[in-house]
Amino acid sequence: MVKVLVIYHSQSGNTEAMAKAVAEGAKSAGANVVLKKATEANAEDLLTCDVVAIGTPNYFGYMAGLVKDYFDRVWIVIRDKVAEKPYATFGSKGGGGAQALETVENICNGLKMRKVLDGVMATRQPSEAVIGQCKEMGMKLAKPEKMKAVGIREPRL
Ligand SMILES: Cc1cc2nc3c(=O)[nH]c(=O)nc-3n(C[C@H](O)[C@H](O)[C@H](O)COP(=O)(O)O)c2cc1C
């Protein structure tokens, strides 16, 4: 069974609602889903999953500090062990842009992970349409063998 890991940070619940929708979609497609706040996740979670979805709010044009903290904590253990692992990003912003997702992608790119879907970004509370996109993301991630890389970039780290 495919193991889908969903890691996220959320203070006011917007990204959390999206994380739950991604998890629900993946479960409905038959995956074994692990849904964890970034503060509770460890290196083993990432090493043992087949595919990961990473969710973050936009904080000052960057990922949330506690998502960055996750990468900081696990980097040394995982850095040579997650190449080609499929991933996707999602999150919520206020009035700004989607830079938070791009900063997560930069790190995943540096780890040589494989972005397999375009990120889903809500403005504040996710609409029903965005929740639908998140469920769809989860359903697609449950079948990672069918997914090709999107938006390949040179590592910049
Ligand atoms: C510390 C902090 C910094 C923020 N910085 C930005 C920002 O630079 N750009 C932006 O669009 N929204 C910013 N926001 C708004 C959040 O991204 C937005 O409210 C989001 O929906 C919060 O998601 P959450 O409910 O998952 O915590 C900021 C919020 C906080 C708490």
Side-chain angles (χ1 to χ4, degrees):
M1 190 187 279
V2 171
K3 181 175 167 187
V4 177
L5 174 65
V6 184
I7 304 177
Y8 70 97
H9 175 72
S10 183
Q11 283 197 77
S12 47
N14 299 333
T15 310
E16 182 164 60
M18 299 171 79
K20 287 180 176 169
V22 174
E24 190 185 324
K27 251 180 224 163
S28 75
N32 172 19
V33 179
V34 176
L35 174 67
K36 281 200 175 180
K37 291 185 176 167
T39 49
E40 293 163 0
N42 58 32
E44 200 61 19
D45 291 316
L46 195 54
L47 292 175
T48 58
C49 73
D50 296 298
V51 52
V52 59
I54 303 159
T56 181
N58 181 344
Y59 284 176
F60 312 118
Y62 200 79
M63 73 185 84
L66 288 174
V67 176
K68 171 68 161 43
D69 167 75
Y70 174 71
F71 285 114
D72 292 351
R73 284 187 287 114
V74 303
W75 177 266
I76 289 172
V77 178
I78 66 162
R79 65 181 170 186
D80 297 323
K81 298 181 181 145
V82 290
E84 289 305 317
K85 195 173 289 268
Y87 79 93
T89 60
F90 61 92
S92 176
K93 63 184 176 65
Q99 311 97 315
L101 302 191
E102 289 163 14
T103 60
V104 172
E105 288 173 6
N106 262 346
I107 291 180
C108 292
N109 202 31
L111 287 163
K112 300 186 173 60
M113 292 168 68
R114 182 158 49 99
K115 177 180 167 182
V116 290
L117 289 171
D118 289 326
V120 175
M121 185 54 120
T123 299
R124 300 188 187 88
Q125 192 174 355
S127 62
E128 271 186 39
V130 168
I131 290 294
Q133 287 173 22
C134 292
K135 284 183 188 166
E136 195 180 330
M137 173 181 276
M139 290 168 78
K140 287 182 176 166
L141 292 179
K143 315 272 180 207
E145 69 284 355
K146 293 187 179 164
M147 307 193 79
K148 293 190 177 130
V150 295
I152 297 169
R153 294 182 306 182
E154 290 301 313
R156 291 193 298 180
L157 298 181

